[in-house]
Structures are given as structure tokens and as C-alpha cells.
Amino acid sequence: DAFLNLKLGSWHSPRLCTPKTNVMFLKTHKTASCTILNLLYRFGEKHNLTFALPKGYHFDYPNFFNSRSVKGFWWQNGQHYNMMSSHMRFNRPEVQSVMPADTFYISILRHPVSLAESSFNYFHFLAPAFKHSPSFEDFIANPWKYYIPYLRFNHLARNMLWFDLGFDHNAEFSLQSAQSVVAEIQQTFHFILLADYFDQSMVLLRDALCWSLDDVVTFRHNARTNAKPKCLSPAQEEQLKKWNALDWYLYQSFNKTFWEKVERFGKRRMDKEVAILQARREELQNLCLLKEGKPPKVKQSLGQGVQRCQTGYVTMMKHTLNSNLSISDKELCSRMIREEYEPVFYPSFMDEAPCQGCPQLGPYQ
Ligand SMILES: Nc1ncnc2c1ncn2[C@@H]1O[C@H](COP(=O)(O)OS(=O)(=O)O)[C@@H](OP(=O)(O)O)[C@H]1O
């Protein structure tokens, strides 16, 4: 059925809604956010949209977002952008001063247990708490031995999503305050995606934005190749949830609303659209990528400066294009594999690389 629809090109049929072009994506860490960035850049490029870009590498992360960190922004000019999508610590009034009033706000969460594992590996040398723990297991067993609250970058080791969304990641958990934070997020963000249900998220996103299905087809970006599945015990998982109690509450809340949305969308319809999305991804992977979606490993190292999305402390998957592509397929495929801040593929709306002139170091240096 999915393949039949695929062949008939049903997702190209005209929609009875107007595609949204003003989108703010709060790019949280280790949540498939580079993959989302890829689709936003592609959509922006296709529709000639403007992006609010940081003056440096990030919007002054981990400090709160300030409109002064947007390249070329001068609030007195009353200028606005269509899209904003780099890492930041969210600050609603400042973001609203840069983005138009009808902006569609989205962000993405991931289950705190797998998020912690990804974060421990990726940010091992950046978060002091991780750096000083001999192993992930040691950290889980006794995080307070390694964690000093409010030490710069230690938020990457505890309630990182809560922090990125602009709240105090060291606050004691209380149901009342957690509920009020969730309510505030719900007031600001129109849709919270879940990395753990990426394809379902894409189907809902496409529906909410009135985009085409091809607009939300992506390859997986920024994945580790050396990620051995960690066999954590149920007790260790519980410890991690307790340690990240604010993020765990956040995740549970938005997981619940996510599945309510799926219910409203229709489960059968969801299954069908997910199947079409997956079939299209496979088709594009077969067309574009060497060895059908099994890209060769590339050891990233600090100082390369190109793929700034990647710190170099872990081995990342690097997509490699098939060599015999036609000119038009090559253009399509190049866009599909474009990483965050890859100057070679800078679209026209990025007149210069945001990192030009920056020291060739990894993130946050
Ligand atoms: N499509 C899709 N579905 C599910 N998961 C995905 C997807 N794309 C990327 N990923 C995983 O997201 C992790 C990278 O997240 P980010 O791109 O947000 O990282 S970063 O903060 O910008 O460095 C990284 O997780 P780990 O591999 O566990 O580290 C990616 O594998």
C-alpha cells in the first residue's frame, strides 16, 4: 500500500492549507536536532526564506539567548526572520523580539536515559562532571561525587533539556513547579517532537506545518558509530530518571500529549504515513548513499572546523554520496546530507559562513 502510494506520488498532491514559513526551532542537545536542522535548511532554501543566524557559532550558549547575538539584527529596524534554529538557551521575550508574531514554535525531547548515555559520550570532556567520572556506570552510581551544581557546562550532565528550555536545571523537583514549567512550555511551543518517535514526529510536523512529505524526509545525522548498546539494569535506569527528575517529568508530560495528538491524527493514518515516509527515505538512501545507508566511519577530530555539530570525542557516521549521480540527483543528495554549518553547501540565504574567522576549535571553546 505504501509503495503504491509512493509510486503514485500521493504526497505531492496539493494540500488545502497554507504552508507555514515562519518557524522557530529550539535546538536541544543530543536529540536528533541536527537531523531536524537539515530539513529546515532544505525548506528554507527551497522557499527563499531568511534565517536568524548567530554572530558566532551559537547564540551565546550557554548564556540565555539575547537578540544582540543575532547576526545583522537591529531591533529598531523592526526586521524579522522566517526561521531560527541554532542551539540556544531559550529566552522567550528576546526570541519573540526577533521572530514574527505568527511564528510556529517547535522543539524536540528525548528519553532521559538514552539522552544521558549519548550525552556522557559526546560531552565527556566538556561537562566537568562527566570528565571526572571513570565510567558511565560510576557516574550513575554516584553522580554527586562528580557533579558540582552551576559549574559551567555541568548542565550537560543533569536536566539538560530543562536548561535548554530556559529553566533552572538544579532546582529541587516539586510537582507544582514542574507542572507550571510544562504549562509555560505548552503556551509557547506549538509542537514538541520526540526523538524516540522520530518518524511519527515528522508525520505530525508535516501536518502541522502544511508541508509536503518530501520536506520532512531525512537521513539520520550526527549518529555515533561506536555506540555500543549499553545494557543498563532497570535499577540504573531508575537512578538516571531520578537524577534527571525535571527532564523525566518533562519527557513524560510531552510523551502523553504527543500520543494524544497521534490519537487525534488517527492511528491508521499515522501508520500509513510513517510507512510512506520510511519507503521514501529508503528510496533516497539507495539513490544517494554509498552502500545503501551504511556510510563509512569517519573519525572526527578537534580542529577540523567544518562539521562543527560534532565534537570529535566520539566516532560519528559520515554520509558519503554515490559517485555516479546525475547533476540534479547530486544536488538533491548533497542537500540531504548537509550537516549543520557546512560552508560548501551554504545556501544563498547564508551569505557567509557564521564561523568565518572563528578559531578552528570544537563547539563552545
Ligand atoms: N532520525 C533520528 N531518529 C532518532 N535519533 C536520531 C535521528 N537522527 C539523529 N539521531 C540521534 O540524535 C543524536 C544527535 O543529536 P543532535 O543532532 O541533537 O546532537 S547535537 O546536540 O546537535 O550535537 C545521536 O544520538 P546518539 O547516536 O545516541 O549519540 C543521533 O544518533
Side-chain angles (χ1 to χ4, degrees):
D1 193 20
F3 275 94
L4 187 65
N5 276 326
L6 181 69
K7 285 261 176 310
L8 293 172
S10 67
W11 60 50
H12 295 300
S13 56
R15 314 237 0 229
L16 298 171
C17 47
T18 310
K20 291 190 176 39
T21 50
N22 294 335
V23 179
M24 192 277 159
F25 171 54
L26 173 65
K27 188 180 187 301
T28 48
H29 286 82
K30 306 321 297 173
T31 52
S33 62
C34 284
T35 304
I36 308 278
L37 218 57
N38 171 272
L39 74 88
L40 293 177
Y41 283 167
R42 277 165 33 214
F43 188 85
E45 186 172 30
K46 189 166 126 191
H47 297 276
N48 239 342
L49 304 179
T50 54
F51 275 67
L53 293 171
K55 275 182 188 155
Y57 174 49
H58 287 302
F59 289 119
D60 204 19
Y61 190 85
N63 299 321
F64 276 107
F65 174 80
N66 188 299
S67 55
R68 282 195 302 267
S69 62
V70 178
K71 196 166 107 176
F73 179 72
W74 181 238
W75 60 271
Q76 279 175 327
N77 289 352
Q79 97 220 57
H80 287 300
Y81 301 87
N82 296 113
M83 293 204 170
M84 183 187 256
S85 54
S86 302
H87 281 304
M88 68 164 71
R89 189 172 188 200
F90 192 69
N91 181 359
R92 184 164 68 175
E94 283 294 312
V95 171
Q96 283 173 338
S97 73
V98 176
M99 297 303 288
D102 65 351
T103 297
F104 193 85
Y105 285 76
I106 55 175
S107 191
I108 183 161
L109 306 179
R110 181 175 175 182
H111 193 291
V113 172
S114 67
L115 181 68
E117 200 266 334
S118 171
S119 177
F120 184 87
N121 284 285
Y122 195 82
F123 296 123
H124 194 83
F125 297 107
L126 192 59
F130 288 157
K131 195 170 167 179
H132 297 125
S133 339
S135 70
F136 189 40
E137 288 75 7
D138 280 303
F139 180 77
I140 298 171
N142 193 358
W144 282 114
K145 188 170 162 192
Y146 309 105
Y147 182 85
I148 300 170
Y150 302 108
L151 203 59
R152 196 166 161 83
F153 291 119
N154 255 353
H155 68 277
L156 300 168
R158 192 183 191 201
N159 296 313
M160 165 163 81
L161 301 170
W162 198 264
F163 178 92
D164 283 352
L165 281 150
F167 301 96
D168 179 6
H169 65 295
N170 284 308
E172 271 299 309
F173 178 84
S174 95
L175 186 60
Q176 205 187 3
S177 61
Q179 278 171 339
S180 85
V181 164
V182 166
E184 194 178 323
I185 296 168
Q186 272 164 343
Q187 260 181 15
T188 309
F189 288 86
H190 299 89
F191 183 33
I192 299 285
L193 317 158
L194 299 180
D196 316 82
Y197 303 99
F198 191 85
D199 290 348
Q200 289 84 350
S201 296
M202 290 305 100
V203 169
L204 289 178
L205 184 69
R206 166 196 108 91
D207 189 57
L209 294 177
C210 187
W211 289 8
S212 78
L213 200 59
D214 250 13
D215 289 333
V216 296
V217 174
T218 50
F219 301 157
R220 193 183 181 107
H221 285 253
N222 217 14
R224 283 173 293 159
T225 53
N226 57 346
K228 295 192 193 87
K230 283 265 174 207
C231 294
L232 296 180
S233 67
Q236 285 173 315
E237 294 197 359
E238 283 313 306
Q239 280 167 298
L240 275 175
K241 288 181 202 164
K242 228 169 132 184
W243 173 246
N244 294 290
L246 299 167
D247 274 5
W248 177 226
Y249 182 81
L250 189 68
Y251 185 83
Q252 285 176 292
S253 306
F254 284 100
N255 187 42
K256 186 166 172 281
T257 50
F258 183 89
W259 291 105
E260 285 165 3
K261 268 190 211 299
V262 172
E263 197 76 45
R264 283 198 296 277
F265 185 82
K267 281 197 170 140
R268 269 175 65 86
R269 185 176 161 211
M270 173 58 77
D271 290 347
K272 198 174 147 193
E273 294 210 9
V274 163
I276 296 170
L277 179 89
Q278 290 172 348
R280 177 63 173 151
R281 179 189 300 136
E282 204 179 320
E283 187 183 51
L284 282 171
Q285 281 184 347
N286 290 342
L287 170 76
C288 296
L289 301 180
L290 210 60
K291 289 196 215 150
E292 295 186 6
K294 284 194 178 164
K297 296 175 187 179
V298 167
K299 184 90 185 156
Q300 296 289 309
S301 61
L302 270 181
Q304 279 190 329
V306 174
Q307 291 175 347
R308 303 283 303 259
C309 210
Q310 310 180 350
T311 61
Y313 303 123
V314 287
T315 311
M316 312 301 290
M317 297 283 271
K318 168 106 173 93
H319 298 300
T320 306
L321 292 186
N322 265 327
S323 52
N324 54 351
L325 294 167
S326 68
I327 291 175
S328 61
D329 284 347
K330 191 171 179 189
E331 196 177 320
L332 166 80
C333 295
S334 299
R335 294 186 201 297
M336 293 296 295
I337 66 162
R338 180 166 61 207
E339 300 282 347
E340 187 188 27
Y341 303 152
E342 195 167 353
V344 178
F345 298 114
Y346 262 7
S348 51
F349 53 75
M350 295 176 173
D351 49 347
E352 59 178 296
C355 262
Q356 270 185 0
C358 297
Q360 298 284 291
L361 292 169
Y364 317 126
Q365 302 289 319

